[in-house]
């Protein structure tokens, strides 16, 4: 119960990696502010966990690229639970594989808003509360930030921006006792992964190829990434900040 009576906000917590984080932090005793666009999935998850422990998950409908709404939601969660100990900027989307020639400036700006600007805004709005608790920020980036990805210039750039931001903010926030880290998963079995595979010619063999990239010959589960986040949010990682943790199942080895 390393997160008992502490509060975390998780963006995109209804499904995939975000939902994995919700489950893991809940099992560790945490109170959870779940922000997501998908009301149905979020309410189902919140209802199930609140039945296990009353008033432990509060869902607010939020598009993280609506920064005013994001700020209001963060304020409302803190008002509800009384404190904030960790902010996990996880919500993100992966556009279909597209050449740069076919991806417009407007599409890139929109993707930047969802994947990166939301991380900047989430961290900025959470920081005043995190300074009080000496809390943590965790940004869910991607191995594409360091390895690139074919036909994904836009996506990879948004993920790289999260890593640079993490390092610079760690310097600034560290002086006030706030730690900031990024997690870089390779391939995680989530709805996003399966929807991305569907945009390719042969989705099944694409998923098999993706699984074979890790030394364990499988993708990560959302809960495995949640466990990395819990470590980074807990006192067990008290000397770790500004790091881009490559939770990649060895996918980058033996290039
Ligand atoms: N799945 C992978 O293999 C993988 C690998 C590396 C990094 N990531 C990163 O992990 C994060 C989560 O990915 P996932 O695979 O769990 O995705 P997912 O699509 O399975 O789940 C994402 C969740 O975020 C929500 N969401 C999407 N856009 C939102 C918005 N604008 N505002 C609020 N909520 C929004 C969705 O409703 C959903 O609940 C993303 O930032 C992604 O870039 C995923």
């Amino acid at each position: 119960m390393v997160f008992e009576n502490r509060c975390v906000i998780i963006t995109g917590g209804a499904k995939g990696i975000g939902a994995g984080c919700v489950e893991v932090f809940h099992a560790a005793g945490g109170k959870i502010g779940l922000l997501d666009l998908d009301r149905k999935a979020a309410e189902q998850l919140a209802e199930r966990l609140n039945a296990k422990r009353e008033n432990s998950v509060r869902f607010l409908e939020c598009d993280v690229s609506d920064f005013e709404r994001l700020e209001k939601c963060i304020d409302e969660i803190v008002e509800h639970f009384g404190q904030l100990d960790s902010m996990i900027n996880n919500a993100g989307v992966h556009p279909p594989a597209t050449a740069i020639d076919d991806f417009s400036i407007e599409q890139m700006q929109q993707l930047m808003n969802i994947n990166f600007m939301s991380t900047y805004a989430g961290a900025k709005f959470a920081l005043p509360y995190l300074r009080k608790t000496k809390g943590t920020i965790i940004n869910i980036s991607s191995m594409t930030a360091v390895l690139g990805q074919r036909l994904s210039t836009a996506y990879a750039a948004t993920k790289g921006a999260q890593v640079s931001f993490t390092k610079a903010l760690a310097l600034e926030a560290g002086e006030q006792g706030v730690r900031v880290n990024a997690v870089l998963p390779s391939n995680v079995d989530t709805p996003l992964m399966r929807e991305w595979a569907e945009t390719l010619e042969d989705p099944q063999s694409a998923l098999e190829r993706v699984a074979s990239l890790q030394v364990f010959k499988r993708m990560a589960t959302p809960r495995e990434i949640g466990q990395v986040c819990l470590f980074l949010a807990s006192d067990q990682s008290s000397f770790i900040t500004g790091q881009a943790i490559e939770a990649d199942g060895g996918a980058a080895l033996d290039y």
Side-chain angles (χ1 to χ4, degrees), residues 12 14-18 35-38 62-65 90-93 114 140-142 155 159 185-188 190-193:
K15 289 177 296 196
I17 292 172
L35 310 186
D36 206 292
L37 280 174
D38 188 336
C62 177
D63 178 342
V64 293
S65 64
N90 162 73
V93 293
I114 299 170
I140 306 299
S141 171
S142 162
Y155 177 78
K159 295 283 128 184
S186 52
N187 298 292
V188 190
T190 67
L192 178 146
M193 170 61 72

Side-chain angles (χ1 to χ4, degrees), residues 58-74:
R58 181 159 173 79
F59 161 63
L60 295 176
E61 194 168 336
C62 177
D63 178 342
V64 293
S65 64
D66 176 347
F67 310 126
E68 258 177 55
R69 173 75 185 144
L70 180 58
E71 183 173 23
K72 280 206 182 86
C73 288
I74 291 171

Side-chain angles (χ1 to χ4, degrees), residues 80-130:
H80 181 75
F81 286 123
Q83 71 194 74
L84 184 64
D85 300 277
S86 192
M87 176 78 203
I88 303 186
N89 294 302
N90 162 73
V93 293
H94 194 314
T98 311
I100 189 168
D101 311 80
D102 302 323
F103 206 76
S104 71
I105 296 294
E106 290 71 28
Q107 284 173 305
M108 178 60 191
Q109 282 172 328
Q110 198 189 357
L111 190 69
M112 243 354 214
N113 280 344
I114 299 170
N115 284 7
F116 173 66
M117 287 302 296
S118 65
T119 297
Y120 184 92
K124 178 177 166 62
F125 300 142
L127 252 181
Y129 300 116
L130 295 172

Side-chain angles (χ1 to χ4, degrees), residues 175-193:
E175 289 168 15
Q176 298 132 9
V178 177
R179 295 185 296 109
V180 189
N181 290 290
V183 178
L184 281 58
S186 52
N187 298 292
V188 190
D189 193 353
T190 67
L192 178 146
M193 170 61 72

